[in-house]
Amino acid sequence: MAVTGNNTYQEIMDAILDEPDQVLVVCHISPDGDAVGAALAMVHFLEQAGKSFAVVNDDPVPSRYDFLPGVNWFQRTQSVARKFSTIVAVDCADLKRLGNTTQLFADSHRLINIDHHETNNRYGHMNLVQAEASATCLVLYRMFHATGIAIDRNVAILLYTGILFDTGGFRYNNTTPEIHHAAADLLSRGFEPFMIADRVLESLTREQVELVRLGLSTLKIHDLGRIAYVVVSQELLRMSGATDDDTEVLLPYTRSLSGIEVGILFRERPDGSVKVSLRSRDRVDVASIALQFGGGGHVRAAGCSLDGPIEQSVVQLVTVVAAAVKTAFA
Ligand SMILES: [Mn+2]
């Protein structure tokens, strides 16, 4: 597909509202706060516009998002029997990250890609990709404002959740004046900010705490002293009682170590392949590292997959990261 520029907000809205049948809303697999918030904000908009919809993901929505309005509308891909001709994909950088939801696309379909990842390859028939936006929820906020769509309390909670998640609680460098203005506007719809911060960023299950305890015993600091990583094998995951999604709780313990530039979380999948999450502090572009391994993401937060076995994948990835760190601190 040819790389094209963005469609206008109105073109995107018109295309979505033009569908007489159900609109399919999808987001990336292993959905995070921005993906879930954006997908649900989109379906709330559709509901208010009197449109029918389905919101689908391969994976379950992590339980920390149970409080979000409309979360029970989410269906798993395998439980959906029909196909759709209008699809809105939010917070997803490429088709691969949509997982098996692409099997729900009708032979003749229109795919609308709304995202903020720098690595987004404009896979949609229509695209609204704003790489400078701090969250897909901010892209939706801008679109709703520009097209005169009222934001009610539910949509405000959803957009705030995505913004809070993707800015790390207004801490990352993508915490712009605009995002604070947007957050202030959303907060004026009346909800408790602590309730959302607690659920989205802070609260841990017992299994997650057990995973932290066991996971930290695998923490290694690379010779250069600027790379820290944690390795979660299937066995360790079983011992903790936690699920694969829970492993994210280990990430902050890698990059947060003082002096560390790149934090890495390796997790073994049941099939032996390895999922990798990368975070950098100041200088290393981890999106470009992830891209070398067929993944993607942002400069400070990215991910990719390796074939395994896990010991080999760790060596492979850390070698590339170490070279990038050496260059960055040369
Ligand atoms: Mn996002």
Side-chain angles (χ1 to χ4, degrees):
M1 197 172 297
V3 173
T4 54
N6 278 334
N7 290 91
T8 65
Y9 294 128
Q10 199 58 54
E11 284 167 349
I12 298 281
M13 285 298 218
D14 290 346
I16 296 170
L17 295 173
D18 186 44
E19 173 60 60
D21 196 359
Q22 282 186 26
V23 174
L24 175 65
V25 177
V26 290
C27 56
H28 65 75
I29 51 176
S30 302
D32 60 24
D34 190 35
V36 174
L40 289 176
M42 181 51 69
V43 297
H44 273 276
F45 157 69
L46 288 167
E47 202 205 21
Q48 280 163 17
K51 311 299 286 185
S52 57
F53 57 82
V55 56
V56 180
N57 199 284
D58 282 6
D59 300 316
V61 174
S63 59
R64 65 172 65 246
Y65 302 113
D66 282 353
F67 72 98
L68 288 177
V71 72
N72 292 326
W73 288 332
F74 260 98
Q75 293 176 270
R76 305 283 294 277
T77 310
Q78 72 262 25
S79 68
V80 180
R82 55 160 296 173
K83 291 188 189 259
F84 300 83
S85 42
T86 297
I87 301 106
V88 182
V90 291
D91 200 42
C92 188
D94 56 60
L95 275 176
K96 222 176 80 193
R97 293 274 290 152
L98 289 175
N100 291 324
T101 60
T102 56
Q103 291 169 9
L104 306 178
F105 299 1
D107 289 341
S108 169
H109 67 266
R110 179 161 55 184
L111 176 57
I112 300 162
N113 165 23
I114 303 176
D115 188 34
H116 72 123
H117 290 90
E118 279 162 60
T119 53
N120 191 296
N121 61 6
R122 267 78 177 171
Y123 56 85
H125 301 102
M126 298 180 82
N127 298 288
L128 178 56
V129 180
Q130 300 179 335
E132 95 324 320
S134 323
T136 297
C137 280
L138 181 66
V139 179
L140 292 184
Y141 177 85
R142 289 171 176 171
M143 182 169 75
F144 291 155
H145 262 262
T147 55
I149 303 297
I151 293 174
D152 68 11
R153 182 173 177 274
N154 280 341
V155 173
I157 289 172
L158 295 161
L159 295 180
Y160 187 88
T161 294
I163 286 170
L164 190 76
F165 182 86
D166 267 17
T167 59
F170 304 108
R171 286 175 300 176
Y172 303 154
N173 281 340
N174 62 3
T175 307
T176 56
E178 183 196 8
I179 208 125
H180 272 298
H181 281 294
D185 181 35
L186 295 170
L187 264 176
S188 72
R189 270 80 173 178
F191 55 86
E192 281 181 45
F194 178 69
M195 185 271 288
I196 300 185
D198 177 53
R199 298 299 298 267
V200 173
L201 301 172
E202 290 181 20
S203 68
L204 296 175
T205 63
R206 283 188 173 218
E207 290 80 9
Q208 287 169 335
V209 172
E210 187 60 13
L211 186 66
V212 169
R213 199 174 71 80
L214 295 169
L216 284 182
S217 68
T218 74
L219 180 81
K220 288 210 171 56
I221 312 241
H222 185 266
D223 300 342
L224 295 168
R226 298 204 187 270
I227 306 166
Y229 58 94
V230 165
V231 182
V232 179
S233 65
Q234 279 289 306
E235 197 200 349
L236 192 145
L237 195 59
R238 258 193 308 277
M239 276 169 17
S240 70
T243 67
D244 181 64
D245 281 321
D246 294 326
T247 51
E248 294 283 335
V249 302
L250 280 162
L251 255 174
Y253 295 95
T254 59
R255 179 179 57 182
S256 304
L257 275 164
S258 63
I260 295 297
E261 169 63 21
V262 180
I264 316 169
L265 168 64
F266 294 94
R267 50 193 126 166
E268 187 182 31
R269 292 202 187 89
D271 67 1
S273 68
V274 179
K275 188 173 168 184
V276 183
S277 301
L278 296 144
R279 296 291 182 270
S280 69
R281 182 170 259 154
D282 197 29
R283 300 196 197 183
V284 173
D285 175 0
V286 288
S288 74
I289 294 172
L291 208 54
Q292 288 178 49
F293 292 92
H298 306 285
V299 178
R300 299 280 167 261
C304 59
S305 274
L306 277 77
D307 291 337
I310 192 152
E311 300 79 8
Q312 197 181 311
S313 298
V314 170
V315 174
Q316 220 181 332
L317 203 281
V318 170
T319 305
V320 173
V321 174
V325 167
K326 254 196 183 133
T327 307
F329 288 86

